[in-house]
């Protein structure tokens, strides 16, 4: 059974062969789409352009081999997961000279720019990894290395945005302590000892006299 245009190059066919239970869509002499039970197939090189693709009758969702979006977006009303079959990679591909953004509503949290630089908290990364923390904040943690079995024990790294110092701290059973600070003017302090501009002097003990043996 067919629904055919005047020159027979565009048509809808029902069961091209006996009892195959397939609807075929031919456009300008080429088969672009097929439909079987619960499945709509876009053949290679074909494009689906629509405002909404919705699946409402099955809890299992819609399976799509490939989706090309033109001026559109994909929205999941109740959250969701991108899953690939076992043994297959998941590739996120974006055009040359463009960037990839991971957002929460309108707020961008992670950026991968067109040179491969990654920004966290910034949309204009200036290094392979560029972490921007909250301004005018003394302890905006940038990196935290913890024990998965006891998360209140950790080493932490951050830039003190009130002074410009780079700090390394330690959390012990929920109590935070500064351990080493690289001061913005070039000094180094230990355990918040600020007796001198360069507290390394405080840790010199005794004298050393070189000699030959």
């Amino acid at each position: 059974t067919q629904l055919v245009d005047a020159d027979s190059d565009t048509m809808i066919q029902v069961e091209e062969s006996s009892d195959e239970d397939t609807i075929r869509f031919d456009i300008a002499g080429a088969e672009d789409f097929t439909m079987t039970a619960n499945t709509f197939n876009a053949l290679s090189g074909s494009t689906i352009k629509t405002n909404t693709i919705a699946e409402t009758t099955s809890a299992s969702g819609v399976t799509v081999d490939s989706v090309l979006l033109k001026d559109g977006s994909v929205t999941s009303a109740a959250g969701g997961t991108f899953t690939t079959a076992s043994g297959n990679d998941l590739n996120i591909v974006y055009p040359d000279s463009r960037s990839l953004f991971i957002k929460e509503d309108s707020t961008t949290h992670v950026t991968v720019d067109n040179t491969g630089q990654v920004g966290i908290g910034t949309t204009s990364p200036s290094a392979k990894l560029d972490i921007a923390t909250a301004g005018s904040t003394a302890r905006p943690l940038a990196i935290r290395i913890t024990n998965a079995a006891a998360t209140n024990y950790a080493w932490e790294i951050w830039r003190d945005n009130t002074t410009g110092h780079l700090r390394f701290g330690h959390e012990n059973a929920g109590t935070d302590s500064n351990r080493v600070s690289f001061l913005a003017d070039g000094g180094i302090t230990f355990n918040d000892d600020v007796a001198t501009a360069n507290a390394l002097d405080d840790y010199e003990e005794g004298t050393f006299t070189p000699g030959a043996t």
Side-chain angles (χ1 to χ4, degrees):
T1 303
Q2 298 179 343
L3 177 62
V4 187
D5 71 350
D7 60 0
S8 300
D9 66 349
T10 300
M11 67 186 73
I12 300 174
Q13 304 179 72
V14 179
E15 296 190 350
E16 187 176 58
S17 59
S18 177
D19 198 29
E20 68 171 352
D21 297 324
T22 299
I23 301 175
R24 301 176 183 276
F25 298 82
D26 292 15
I27 302 173
E31 184 175 275
D32 285 339
F33 308 100
T34 65
M35 183 180 295
T36 58
N38 301 318
T39 303
F40 184 81
N41 301 298
L43 304 186
S44 177
S46 300
T47 300
I48 299 175
K49 185 173 183 180
T50 180
N51 292 327
T52 304
I53 299 177
E55 195 281 331
T56 59
T57 61
S58 171
S60 62
V62 176
T63 299
V64 181
D65 292 327
S66 178
V67 175
L68 173 63
L69 295 176
K70 291 188 175 181
D71 303 320
S73 61
V74 176
T75 302
S76 175
T81 303
F82 286 104
T83 304
T84 62
S86 177
N88 291 279
D89 297 324
L90 174 62
N91 297 294
I92 301 175
V93 181
Y94 53 97
D96 292 342
S97 303
R98 306 300 296 177
S99 296
L100 172 67
F101 302 101
I102 299 177
K103 297 186 176 185
E104 177 191 6
D105 292 328
S106 60
T107 301
T108 300
H109 292 300
V110 180
T111 300
V112 182
D113 72 11
N114 63 311
T115 67
Q117 297 187 146
V118 178
I120 300 175
T122 175
T123 58
S124 301
S126 300
K128 283 298 182 183
L129 176 61
D130 192 342
I131 302 174
T133 55
S136 302
T137 303
R139 195 183 180 87
L141 297 185
I143 298 175
R144 191 169 189 270
I145 305 170
T146 188
N147 180 348
T151 56
N152 58 345
Y153 293 85
W155 280 99
E156 302 164 335
I157 304 173
W158 70 98
R159 181 188 188 274
D160 185 330
N161 288 335
T162 63
T163 63
H165 303 338
L166 174 64
R167 300 194 186 275
F168 292 75
H170 183 252
E171 180 182 349
N172 183 35
T175 300
D176 294 318
S177 300
N178 293 340
R179 294 306 188 200
V180 181
S181 296
F182 293 86
L183 307 185
D185 61 5
I188 302 174
T189 67
F190 298 89
N191 300 318
D192 280 338
D193 185 351
V194 292
T196 62
N198 185 344
L200 279 175
D201 295 339
D202 296 344
Y203 289 84
E204 297 173 355
E205 296 183 4
T207 60
F208 172 71
T209 303
T213 58

